[in-house]
Every structure is written in structure tokens, then in C-alpha cells.
Amino acid sequence: KKDSPGAGARNEALRAIKRFGRTLWRRWSGYHRRSRVETKMNCMKLLGQKLMSRDFDRQTAELQVRIAILNRFTALGIPVTQPVG
């Protein structure tokens, strides 16, 4: 719909995709990077919606532990490839 909020930006993005292709549009607009950040933030929320600690330094430590857990999960999910032959 032309009168909905954000319609101009959406239509402009669709025109750019049609003209340059989806791959170039993603690189140009930073879409892929935003998508990856949104996915990681969703993973952070799955580890808990709220912080348990009241003290700021302990909250910082709690977030660092969550990030370390996510990084470890990510590292476990990356396949290790080896050349054959």
C-alpha cells in the first residue's frame, strides 16, 4: 500500500533490488549484517529476558558470560573442513 508507514523506503528497496539484484542490494544496504545482529540478539533473549544482578559490574559480567556461551555454541556449530588427498 502506498499510504502505509515506511512504504516509500520499502518501494525504494524493491526498486534497487530489481535494478541491481538482491546480492548487491544486501551489501549496499547492510541488510545481511543487520539480520545477523537481530538473530544474535534473539539468541541472547533466549538465555534470559532479564539480568539477575543488581550491581552494574555484576550485570556486565553476567552479559559477558552469556556472550561467551553464545560464542562457544557458534564455534561448535561451524564445520571443520579438511582437504582430501
Side-chain angles (χ1 to χ4, degrees):
K1 296 180 182 179
K2 292 183 178 183
D3 58 345
S4 65
R10 181 198 63 226
N11 292 338
E12 187 63 34
L14 290 174
R15 277 190 221 104
I17 290 170
K18 189 174 183 180
R19 179 177 289 160
F20 303 114
R22 188 174 299 271
T23 304
L24 286 176
W25 172 78
R26 282 183 182 163
R27 192 172 299 147
W28 170 76
S29 68
Y31 176 81
H32 185 65
R33 189 174 189 175
R34 273 197 312 267
S35 176
R36 292 179 69 183
V37 169
E38 288 174 6
T39 302
K40 282 298 174 189
M41 287 305 296
N42 185 34
C43 292
M44 282 284 291
K45 288 181 181 180
L46 291 175
L47 291 175
Q49 289 284 338
K50 296 180 180 179
L51 296 174
M52 299 295 207
S53 305
R54 291 185 179 181
D55 183 44
F56 180 74
D57 292 332
R58 290 183 180 167
Q59 287 178 347
T60 304
E62 187 177 339
L63 286 174
Q64 288 173 345
V65 168
R66 288 183 187 184
I67 291 168
I69 291 169
L70 282 177
N71 287 339
R72 181 66 177 149
F73 285 160
T74 303
L76 289 172
I78 295 175
V80 177
T81 57
Q82 296 179 351
V84 176

